[in-house]
Amino acid sequence: MRWPLYSLLFFALSARAAITEKLGSLEVSDLLIKPYFLLSEPQEAEFKIGDSSFQLNWSIDNQFQSVIRIGPRSLRNIMVHSEDEPDDSIGIVEGYAQLSSPYGQIRYGLMPIEHGVEGSWTERELLLPRSLFFTERIFPLRDLGASYSVRHNGYFSKFSVFNGEGDENPDGRMWFASKWGWERNEKAIISLSGLTGTTKPATTSGLSNTLASVDVEDEAQWRMGTFSLYLTPSKWKTLIEITMGELVQDEEVAGKFSGGHADLIYDSPSWAGLLRYDYLEPDSETDLDLRREISLGVVFKNAKQTSWIQLIATKVLEENQKVPNDRLLLIWQLTPIVTTPDR
């Protein structure tokens, strides 16, 4: 009687191994709970779910992979050219197929755009909130499209084509992004990033977008370039990013904009000190519209760095009269995944 049982057990194990090999492996590769409390002048306060999300990966032989991330739709960071207010409803944030080989990596679907150094970091890796070019949605974080990237001896390049609307593409025009640079063991990164695309009234008509004094009722071409320098000697981290952009309408340069940020961080296993200077000039031809912010913060971590408490105060510097718009941000980040210490 034992032999039939042993045979049945052997057959079940063999069948399970065959099914596993055929179907690949499915895992929760990222889980992030990151609610926040925001207190801002004059007397405003709110709690939000923040950047909370989770990610599932399905892979076969470390070559073929599919990724899906669920979280607030605002994590796509749909550009200001496509919608006035970001949508915070829960939905698919990422959903793409990936092929990795010695000749590079191809992604296809709702994928990260990874503009600059900051844009390549996930929400779990951020010690400071996104800088002004992202919070004002001039740069996208994720969009529908395809990309190709390759690395060799520390040098890297990436090329992407995507809709530009973060979802459907009513104007039928595509956006293009590229990035070239050099990286050394994630402790030093130098890169140049480019972003260009065209918008039509089918997408922009009726929007309140005023970047570079754009006429939303006319076709517009956008060009942007970003220089990034990231250094992490010892426990100190420095990130400097500078962006220049221009708007072309009626075959002429109709406006220019610029900005950037400088971050200085002291990061130890138990705590971190944060300092940022951030600025945005949305229209070089308009006076008194320069946005400048200084942020000072501290982060407390547990021994495994799976729980962070982030307290960040931001002072807004106006060009003309003072406006009560300073803010205080309290974030609690929880994740079972240990964050890479070099981020």
Side-chain angles (χ1 to χ4, degrees):
M1 187 68 181
R2 292 181 179 178
W3 284 109
L5 290 176
Y6 290 153
S7 299
L8 182 61
L9 179 61
F10 176 80
F11 175 79
L13 291 175
S14 300
R16 183 181 184 278
I19 293 173
T20 302
E21 181 179 356
K22 181 179 179 181
L23 297 180
S25 60
L26 179 67
E27 64 176 355
V28 178
S29 58
D30 196 4
L31 176 61
L32 177 65
I33 305 299
K34 199 172 181 178
Y36 70 79
F37 172 71
L38 177 63
L39 180 64
S40 57
E41 294 182 320
Q43 293 181 344
E44 297 181 1
E46 65 175 343
F47 289 96
K48 279 200 171 184
I49 193 173
D51 295 340
S52 303
S53 68
F54 73 92
Q55 178 176 302
L56 295 174
N57 279 39
W58 172 70
S59 59
I60 300 178
D61 298 332
N62 296 321
Q63 183 178 12
F64 297 97
Q65 186 178 29
S66 63
V67 175
I68 185 167
R69 180 182 292 271
I70 307 296
R73 189 173 177 269
S74 57
L75 292 181
R76 298 187 188 184
N77 214 52
I78 296 175
M79 288 188 291
V80 68
H81 318 297
S82 302
E83 62 180 24
D84 280 334
E85 294 294 333
D87 182 3
D88 284 334
S89 62
I90 302 300
I92 297 177
V93 176
E94 294 177 10
Y96 61 90
Q98 177 176 294
L99 171 63
S100 301
S101 75
Y103 305 102
Q105 183 184 83
I106 296 173
R107 287 177 173 175
Y108 188 83
L110 181 55
M111 61 182 191
I113 302 302
E114 299 182 349
H115 183 88
V117 171
E118 181 189 343
S120 67
W121 292 344
T122 65
E123 288 72 25
R124 178 170 53 85
E125 298 172 304
L126 295 174
L127 284 167
L128 281 160
R130 300 285 184 187
S131 59
L132 281 172
F133 264 86
F134 286 101
T135 58
E136 294 300 309
R137 296 184 293 116
I138 299 172
F139 294 153
L141 283 171
R142 300 162 174 97
D143 208 329
L144 284 161
S147 69
Y148 171 75
S149 60
V150 63
R151 292 175 175 266
H152 181 68
N153 288 338
Y155 295 93
F156 61 87
S157 60
K158 179 176 181 177
F159 305 93
S160 305
V161 56
F162 54 98
N163 284 349
E165 283 84 4
D167 204 332
E168 297 180 0
N169 191 12
D171 63 10
R173 304 307 296 266
M174 308 301 292
W175 282 67
F176 302 90
S178 58
K179 181 160 65 173
W180 305 268
W182 173 81
E183 178 178 2
R184 182 175 182 179
N185 300 326
E186 294 185 341
K187 294 185 179 296
I189 303 174
I190 301 175
S191 71
L192 288 172
S193 303
L195 185 65
T196 184
T198 302
T199 58
K200 286 188 173 183
T203 296
T204 61
S205 182
L207 295 180
S208 60
N209 179 23
T210 59
L211 183 65
S213 297
V214 62
D215 180 1
V216 296
E217 303 301 331
D218 192 10
E219 182 174 329
Q221 183 181 8
W222 301 89
R223 294 194 287 254
M224 310 170 218
T226 300
F227 168 77
S228 304
L229 174 64
Y230 177 63
L231 301 173
T232 61
S234 184
K235 296 179 181 179
W236 290 94
K237 307 177 192 295
T238 302
L239 174 60
I240 299 173
E241 296 193 292
I242 301 172
T243 297
M244 305 292 290
E246 66 179 18
L247 162 69
V248 177
Q249 287 190 302
D250 297 325
E251 300 182 354
E252 294 182 356
V253 176
K256 295 184 178 182
F257 54 96
S258 61
H261 65 105
D263 303 345
L264 180 62
I265 298 173
Y266 177 80
D267 191 14
S268 73
S270 58
W271 72 280
L274 317 172
L275 177 64
R276 166 181 283 172
Y277 175 75
D278 198 359
Y279 81 98
L280 170 62
E281 176 60 84
D283 188 353
S284 60
E285 300 298 324
T286 302
D287 296 330
L288 304 179
D289 65 339
L290 177 64
R291 292 195 55 181
R292 295 173 296 166
E293 297 183 352
I294 296 178
S295 297
L296 184 65
V298 63
V299 181
F300 300 101
K301 313 173 187 178
N302 67 351
K304 296 294 185 181
Q305 299 193 38
T306 56
S307 176
W308 294 0
I309 300 293
Q310 299 166 265
L311 182 63
I312 302 167
T314 299
K315 173 68 176 177
V316 180
L317 306 175
E318 293 84 4
E319 277 196 291
N320 48 7
Q321 64 181 10
K322 176 174 171 52
V323 178
N325 53 4
D326 299 335
R327 57 188 185 271
L328 184 66
L329 185 63
L330 178 63
I331 305 172
W332 187 8
Q333 174 171 312
L334 291 168
T335 175
I337 302 170
V338 178
T339 303
T340 304
D342 290 332
R343 280 289 187 261

